[in-house]
Amino acid sequence: MTRTIAYLRVSSIEQNLEKNKADILHLANDKNLGKVEFIEEKISGKVSWRQRKIGPILSELKKGDTILLSEFSRLGRSMLECMEIISIAMEKGIKVYTVKGGWQLDDTIQSKVLAMVFAMAAEIERDLISKRTKEALNSIRLSGVQLGRPKGPGKSKLDIVRTEIEALLNNGSTQRFIAKRYKVTEPTLSNWMKKNRIIKVFKEL
């Protein structure tokens, strides 16, 4: 039997899931999708989608199954994450429907074309982020700032590369990428950023 999964994510405990549930059930009835399995989580979009519940959902579902969403933005915080998830779903033959916007990604020709566009857009955005990162690092090197892992004692080994980290963040690098680069955990990097009041500035392409 095919499955219909409704993925509901909110970023804080103040947000209410009940209205989203009602809207999704109405959508499921309109599409005659049968029983709906609700998967809920209250977690920040900063957490990678692979570490959220949508990761296992996408892995478990098969061709012909369906994912219901209140809106595409519930999949991830960035356009890249949303496009990656949608692209994978379409490749596996998983249908995706949203309440907001009335999006319908299924086995129609139009949906397959749209899936190709999402996949291309995701690849282009990854390439642009990589290019901006390399340009930022090169600019830092030319300004005389020493790149690489810090040497010697200090309050935090990230302190000495703060300028580089800020440049990477502002040019689209993820916290996972930065944490891996400096061989620290994502929570360590996140705590260090909060302590130093470093806020990521998202730039539009």
Side-chain angles (χ1 to χ4, degrees):
M1 293 180 61
T2 58
R3 299 173 63 191
T4 299
I5 301 293
Y7 174 65
L8 299 173
R9 178 184 69 81
V10 293
S11 57
S12 67
I13 59 175
E14 289 78 19
Q15 292 177 279
N16 193 339
L17 292 171
E18 295 308 313
K19 184 181 184 304
N20 289 338
K21 282 185 179 180
D23 291 340
I24 283 177
L25 285 174
H26 183 70
L27 174 64
N29 287 333
D30 283 348
K31 301 294 182 184
N32 196 26
L33 296 174
K35 181 181 178 182
V36 178
E37 301 175 48
F38 284 95
I39 304 296
E40 307 170 19
E41 67 178 338
K42 296 181 179 180
I43 189 170
S44 170
K46 293 180 181 180
V47 179
S48 168
W49 69 269
R50 297 181 187 278
Q51 296 176 321
R52 290 187 272 113
K53 291 182 180 180
I54 189 62
I57 290 172
L58 204 57
S59 177
E60 294 169 6
L61 293 185
K62 298 178 176 59
K63 183 177 181 179
D65 292 336
T66 303
I67 295 176
L68 301 179
L69 304 164
S70 59
E71 55 185 281
F72 278 135
S73 64
R74 295 298 84 200
L75 290 175
R77 183 169 181 172
S78 71
M79 183 183 296
L80 179 58
E81 274 202 334
C82 294
M83 289 188 297
E84 284 181 333
I85 296 169
I86 294 168
S87 177
I88 292 172
M90 297 304 294
E91 286 177 5
K92 295 185 66 174
I94 300 168
K95 301 173 185 178
V96 181
Y97 298 112
T98 70
V99 173
K100 186 176 181 179
W103 288 96
Q104 178 173 315
L105 305 180
D106 46 30
D107 53 3
T108 62
I109 295 298
Q110 293 90 335
S111 293
K112 291 177 181 178
V113 171
L114 190 57
M116 290 178 60
V117 173
F118 277 128
M120 289 176 60
E123 182 176 351
I124 290 170
E125 186 166 355
R126 281 193 295 268
D127 289 344
L128 288 172
I129 288 174
S130 175
K131 183 178 179 180
R132 289 201 304 266
T133 299
K134 290 177 182 177
E135 290 175 348
L137 292 175
N138 187 51
S139 176
I140 293 171
R141 290 190 185 96
L142 292 176
S143 68
V145 176
Q146 183 67 38
L147 302 181
R149 294 184 64 194
K151 297 180 180 180
K155 293 182 179 179
S156 170
K157 67 179 184 179
L158 298 175
D159 290 343
I160 198 171
V161 288
R162 173 170 178 160
T163 302
E164 180 179 347
I165 290 174
E166 289 178 326
L168 290 171
L169 287 168
N170 292 336
N171 280 276
S173 295
T174 64
Q175 290 188 31
R176 173 183 287 187
F177 171 84
I178 295 172
K180 184 176 181 181
R181 177 181 177 84
Y182 298 108
K183 297 184 179 180
V184 297
T185 64
E186 287 186 65
T188 295
L189 175 62
S190 180
N191 290 336
W192 177 81
M193 288 173 61
K194 290 177 182 177
K195 179 181 178 181
N196 289 277
R197 298 181 180 179
I198 296 175
I199 301 174
K200 182 173 182 178
V201 177
F202 291 93
K203 296 183 177 179
E204 294 183 359
L205 298 179

